Amino acid sequence: MSGSGVRGTVTMHDVAAAAGVSVKTVSNVVNDYPHIRPATREKVQKAIDELGYRMNLSARSLRQGRTGIIGLALPELSLPYFAELADSVIRAAEARGVVVLIEQTGADRQHELDVLTSDRRQLTDGLIFSPLELGPDDADALKVDYPLVVLGERIFGGDWDHVTMNNVDAARAATQHLIDQGRRRIAVIGAHAGETMGSAALRVLGYQAALAANGIPLDPALIVEGGLWHRATGADCVARLVESGVEFDAIFGLNDALALGALHALHARGIDVPDPVAVIGFDDIEDAAYTSPTLSSISPGREQIAQEAVDLLLARIAGGGDPYRRVIADFTVVPRESTGV
Amino acid sequence: MSGSGVRGTVTMHDVAAAAGVSVKTVSNVVNDYPHIRPATREKVQKAIDELGYRMNLSARSLRQGRTGIIGLALPELSLPYFAELADSVIRAAEARGVVVLIEQTGADRQHELDVLTSDRRQLTDGLIFSPLELGPDDADALKVDYPLVVLGERIFGGDWDHVTMNNVDAARAATQHLIDQGRRRIAVIGAHAGETMGSAALRVLGYQAALAANGIPLDPALIVEGGLWHRATGADCVARLVESGVEFDAIFGLNDALALGALHALHARGIDVPDPVAVIGFDDIEDAAYTSPTLSSISPGREQIAQEAVDLLLARIAGGGDPYRRVIADFTVVPRESTGV
DNA sequence: TTGTATGCGTTATCAC
DNA sequence: GTGATAACGCATACAA
């Protein structure tokens, strides 16, 4: 009866006793230590099976100083892009034998700072961090003493690994796509006024570059501010755009949630898509393929980002003092009905 | 220099030495033990701050037999309903001082079974489990020796806590809502043929009950099978429905993803919503408020489900041998444009 | 109110 | 190739 059904009761000692070996030998077996006599291994395995032994991971963590858990800090899972990113990160982690602890920062600056120094960092071997509010001034806060991989381009050049995409080029490509469809009065929604390094600023830069490359004058009235990149913000941006009376024949949503909100607001006002107004988003979330009309977007290579991030983090955890790396994921333009393709 | 900046190097012993007390006293302070002399507490706190002491959670876990982590097993985060559920669970957990480890089962039966016996269960104090494939025959697999809260109504009457909603009544209300708008030929998409206990079966039951209560004959041709409740499945169901040539003036998507797929497929065929075809979904995901037209749905009290689940699990972890509970969350009908309201 | 000593289950360092 | 034993850092009887 001993231990059967009672959680965590069977220890290596029990297995060792049952198999007539020492605990070290049991440890060797469960850890696939190379030099074990087959007969010994078999004997131990038999005892393990019969007793239903499960390793106590807390004990192992204490001893090794590692938990086998990695942290993933992101704004919120109810934003489809981050839900899909989390999905990919969890899959990548599972394939590599680690599990993922998710923390939501709610796009709150203080919360983003807290997550870096939280007690929970004790529980994880490293952190994949996708900040939304921290900026260049917070670089010091990111100088932490555990393995860290930062997603996005908000903060450059620190002592940590970085996985991002080329926001400028991708936004330029999105804008160029609209221009290629004959659009000249292209509004961009979700801009962040004071920002210089965030995704918003970089994507607006790409937008401006595309206009310039095509000799299209930049009209500041077409750049619409919008804080949180939620659907509601996108709808609100379009409302303000329409009320302002400025003419436009296309909208570039700085992410898909904004673009979805835009589609909704345009529909509510009886403005058809793609004519007279074309719409493109950014992120290529699953929704984009199912809206009416379907939403053109930029696919940021989410799977690649997730895998690179996990690989970099695990390499860092494994202890390489390698130079910090900066991985730039590929993107592609995904044309759909909302841009008339 | 000792330990500063080097992770995990400062222990209770160091703090005790610095403060001139014993480790037990340090332990008392960090655990808010009531009877400590203020002067002592202050002295210890000062040493903690100066040394930058952080408790080693692995050591605590080993000692206490608890990790402070709860597991959440769900099909996949890229399904919006589950992403939003995870969001709510993480918030509820955080408010109660525990963190959440998410595992995706991919709606795969074997994977759902594996998650119940995985090594990872060693890492969590309990599990909130949302199965999609397990059925009544798998009840034995759910007889586990750790705290478990099951979401949904797939498996009844075991020795575990249960949080669900009244699927039958909710589906009846959804159907009744369509009937109230004058619909008589109501198709339902996403049905599961052999199933008797799952959400699909229960919701179809509610659908049938509503028809019967209104004297509307049941036409089997209006019940469309659809395995995975993804958007693509919803689109496919509608395609088959249209091709079958059967007349219909409304569609009840057994979840919102199916309904979104249906909206997409109807739009692609030039069939307007809500006239001639009204559509209602189930789950009330955020998307529903932003589709064109907006999607009527059933709100399942997701926040309530998450909080109840976490509370039940923590109570069970805390050790109550209380009788197993079954919590039924409230639902509401949310009428939007897709049903002509 | 605080200190001492022991053990949680594992891995690692040595011997043998 | 395998065994004895000492940590890992904390919580808790038990003692004082």
Side-chain angles (χ1 to χ4, degrees):
Chain A
M1 271 307 281
S2 119
S4 69
V6 181
R7 193 185 189 196
T9 273
V10 180
T11 80
M12 273 193 178
H13 278 92
D14 301 327
V15 175
V21 298
S22 79
V23 286
K24 167 67 166 148
T25 301
V26 178
S27 177
N28 285 342
V29 170
V30 300
N31 290 303
D32 287 322
Y33 180 74
H35 311 296
I36 314 172
R37 205 177 306 172
T40 310
R41 179 189 300 282
E42 207 171 308
K43 206 166 47 175
V44 172
Q45 191 56 54
K46 182 155 165 285
I48 288 176
D49 294 341
E50 282 174 355
L51 297 178
Y53 165 75
R54 310 302 297 265
M55 167 130 66
N56 182 319
L57 297 179
S58 291
R60 158 184 283 203
S61 296
L62 172 58
R63 188 56 233 235
Q64 299 194 147
R66 288 212 214 138
T67 60
I69 307 176
I70 63 176
L72 173 63
L74 42 74
E76 46 178 321
L77 286 174
S78 50
L79 290 172
Y81 173 72
F82 291 107
E84 295 179 11
L85 178 68
D87 180 328
S88 297
V89 168
I90 291 175
R91 284 179 209 278
E94 178 170 32
R96 293 156 181 76
V98 298
V99 291
V100 181
L101 199 61
I102 296 181
E103 299 194 63
Q104 303 190 121
T105 61
D108 176 69
R109 182 165 179 284
Q110 189 55 50
H111 211 139
E112 289 189 347
L113 288 171
D114 290 347
V115 103
L116 289 168
T117 56
S118 155
D119 276 337
R120 286 149 188 182
R121 295 285 66 76
Q122 275 280 341
L123 231 38
T124 57
D125 297 334
L127 180 68
I128 298 176
F129 184 35
S130 179
L132 218 53
E133 292 297 322
L134 296 188
D137 295 346
D138 300 302
D140 280 350
L142 289 184
K143 293 194 181 0
V144 295
D145 57 4
Y146 52 82
L148 175 69
V149 173
V150 176
L151 304 186
E153 296 183 277
R154 296 191 60 83
I155 309 162
F156 289 106
D159 289 351
W160 52 81
D161 295 303
H162 220 117
V163 179
T164 182
M165 60 177 306
N166 194 321
N167 276 298
V168 177
D169 282 358
R172 186 189 352 238
T175 311
Q176 186 63 52
H177 174 68
L178 291 170
I179 295 170
D180 290 345
Q181 312 306 312
R183 311 295 164 157
R184 289 298 178 272
R185 299 286 301 164
I186 303 172
V188 55
I189 62 175
H192 291 175
E195 203 179 279
T196 58
M197 291 296 249
S199 300
L202 296 170
R203 291 178 192 178
V204 169
L205 272 183
Y207 159 82
Q208 294 172 330
L211 294 185
N214 291 269
I216 301 175
L218 177 70
D219 181 352
L222 289 174
I223 301 183
V224 185
E225 300 286 320
L228 288 173
W229 285 358
H230 289 204
R231 298 176 185 86
T233 307
D236 182 56
C237 286
V238 168
R240 276 148 47 212
L241 190 64
V242 170
E243 280 162 23
S244 77
V246 62
E247 270 183 67
F248 61 97
D249 57 13
I251 294 176
F252 174 20
L254 291 182
N255 82 347
D256 280 349
L258 292 164
L260 291 178
L263 286 181
H264 178 254
L266 291 171
H267 182 259
R269 285 166 178 71
I271 303 173
D272 284 336
V273 176
D275 290 302
V277 175
V279 177
I280 192 167
F282 199 114
D283 281 347
D284 193 32
I285 61 177
E286 281 189 28
D287 266 325
Y290 287 93
T291 50
S292 308
T294 55
L295 177 67
S296 300
S297 192
I298 298 289
S299 172
R302 175 190 105 207
E303 203 71 27
Q304 187 193 357
I305 290 175
Q307 293 183 13
E308 294 274 16
V310 172
D311 285 338
L312 281 176
L313 189 63
L314 293 184
R316 192 63 63 192
I317 290 169
D322 311 335
Y324 292 100
R325 289 186 52 204
R326 179 178 168 79
V327 175
I328 303 193
D330 307 320
F331 69 88
T332 53
V333 177
V334 182
R336 295 203 182 88
E337 294 167 0
S338 68
T339 52
V341 181
Chain B
M1 270 306 281
S2 120
S4 70
V6 180
R7 193 185 190 197
T9 275
V10 180
T11 78
M12 271 192 179
H13 279 93
D14 301 327
V15 175
V21 298
S22 79
V23 287
K24 164 71 162 142
T25 303
V26 178
S27 177
N28 284 344
V29 170
V30 299
N31 290 303
D32 287 322
Y33 181 73
H35 312 296
I36 314 171
R37 205 177 306 173
T40 310
R41 178 190 300 282
E42 207 171 308
K43 207 165 46 177
V44 172
Q45 191 57 53
K46 183 154 165 285
I48 288 176
D49 294 341
E50 282 175 355
L51 296 178
Y53 166 75
R54 311 301 297 263
M55 168 130 65
N56 182 318
L57 296 179
S58 292
R60 160 186 281 204
S61 295
L62 173 58
R63 185 56 230 241
Q64 299 194 145
R66 289 213 210 138
T67 60
I69 306 176
I70 63 177
L72 173 63
L74 42 74
E76 46 179 322
L77 286 174
S78 49
L79 291 171
Y81 174 72
F82 291 107
E84 295 180 11
L85 179 67
D87 180 329
S88 297
V89 168
I90 290 174
R91 284 179 209 278
E94 178 171 31
R96 292 155 181 78
V98 298
V99 291
V100 180
L101 199 61
I102 295 181
E103 300 194 62
Q104 302 190 121
T105 60
D108 174 69
R109 183 165 178 284
Q110 189 55 51
H111 211 140
E112 289 190 345
L113 288 171
D114 290 345
V115 103
L116 289 168
T117 57
S118 155
D119 276 338
R120 287 149 187 182
R121 295 285 66 76
Q122 276 280 340
L123 230 38
T124 58
D125 297 334
L127 179 68
I128 297 176
F129 184 35
S130 179
L132 219 54
E133 292 297 321
L134 262 38
D137 295 346
D138 300 302
D140 279 349
L142 289 184
K143 292 194 181 3
V144 295
D145 57 5
Y146 52 82
L148 174 69
V149 173
V150 176
L151 303 186
E153 297 184 278
R154 296 193 59 84
I155 308 161
F156 289 105
D159 288 352
W160 53 80
D161 295 303
H162 219 116
V163 180
T164 182
M165 62 177 306
N166 194 321
N167 276 297
V168 177
D169 281 358
R172 187 187 354 236
T175 310
Q176 185 64 51
H177 174 68
L178 292 170
I179 294 171
D180 291 345
Q181 312 305 314
R183 313 293 164 157
R184 289 297 179 273
R185 300 285 302 166
I186 303 172
V188 56
I189 62 174
H192 291 175
E195 203 181 280
T196 56
M197 293 296 249
S199 300
L202 297 169
R203 291 177 191 178
V204 170
L205 271 183
Y207 160 82
Q208 294 172 330
L211 294 185
N214 291 269
I216 301 175
L218 178 70
D219 181 352
L222 288 174
I223 302 183
V224 185
E225 300 287 320
L228 288 174
W229 284 358
H230 289 205
R231 298 175 184 87
T233 307
D236 182 57
C237 286
V238 168
R240 276 148 47 212
L241 190 63
V242 170
E243 281 162 22
S244 78
V246 63
E247 268 183 68
F248 61 97
D249 57 13
I251 294 175
F252 173 22
L254 291 182
N255 81 348
D256 280 349
L258 291 164
L260 291 177
L263 286 181
H264 175 74
L266 291 171
H267 182 261
R269 285 167 178 71
I271 303 173
D272 284 335
V273 176
D275 290 302
V277 175
V279 177
I280 191 167
F282 199 114
D283 281 347
D284 193 32
I285 62 178
E286 281 189 28
D287 266 325
Y290 287 93
T291 51
S292 308
T294 55
L295 177 67
S296 300
S297 192
I298 298 291
S299 172
R302 175 191 105 205
E303 203 71 26
Q304 186 193 357
I305 289 175
Q307 294 184 11
E308 295 273 17
V310 172
D311 285 338
L312 281 176
L313 189 63
L314 293 184
R316 192 63 63 193
I317 290 169
D322 310 337
Y324 293 100
R325 288 187 53 204
R326 179 178 168 78
V327 174
I328 303 192
D330 306 321
F331 69 87
T332 53
V333 177
V334 183
R336 295 201 182 90
E337 294 167 0
S338 69
T339 52
V341 181

